[in-house]
Amino acid sequence: MNSHEQDELIGRIYRYKTADRNRLSFLDAELSTAACLFKKASSQMEALLARQPSEIEPVLSRIDVNHILQLLAERAQIQRRIAEANEQLRGLGVRP
């Protein structure tokens, strides 16, 4: 592989890696929102169990567990791709 081809490959790896990082940031934000909903639902359920009057919002209805599982699976896949990209860059003599 000549220098020009290697530079193109490195650039392509960096572009894909940047896109993956952007998607990972979005997924983390979505999962953070879901975590907040779970915490709020947990607090509401604890208040109900303790028979403490509290304002109940339909938080659980806003949680889509299947969607969260899909996000988690996609997150794991993206993390693997980023790790593979870093390994490829190391193999090309570039610090990731």
Side-chain angles (χ1 to χ4, degrees), residues 27-92:
L27 293 175
D28 285 346
E30 288 284 312
L31 291 168
S32 177
T33 300
C36 288
L37 289 174
F38 274 116
K39 288 176 188 175
K40 190 171 187 177
S42 172
S43 296
Q44 289 179 358
M45 290 176 72
E46 287 176 3
L48 285 172
L49 291 173
R51 298 178 192 254
Q52 297 172 350
S54 66
E55 187 175 316
I56 302 297
E57 295 178 35
V59 176
L60 286 176
S61 67
R62 294 181 6 210
I63 298 173
D64 182 355
V65 175
N66 288 329
H67 181 66
I68 292 169
L69 292 174
Q70 289 172 343
L71 293 176
L72 289 170
E74 183 180 355
R75 186 177 189 276
Q77 185 180 42
I78 289 173
Q79 288 175 322
R80 279 192 301 274
R81 283 198 314 249
I82 290 172
E84 290 168 1
N86 288 338
E87 195 60 38
Q88 286 179 329
L89 290 170
R90 278 189 213 98
L92 293 168

Side-chain angles (χ1 to χ4, degrees), residues 5-15 89 92-94:
E5 290 171 339
Q6 184 174 357
D7 289 345
E8 284 183 10
L9 179 59
I10 291 169
R12 189 174 329 118
I13 292 170
Y14 273 120
R15 283 190 300 278
L89 290 170
L92 293 168
V94 178

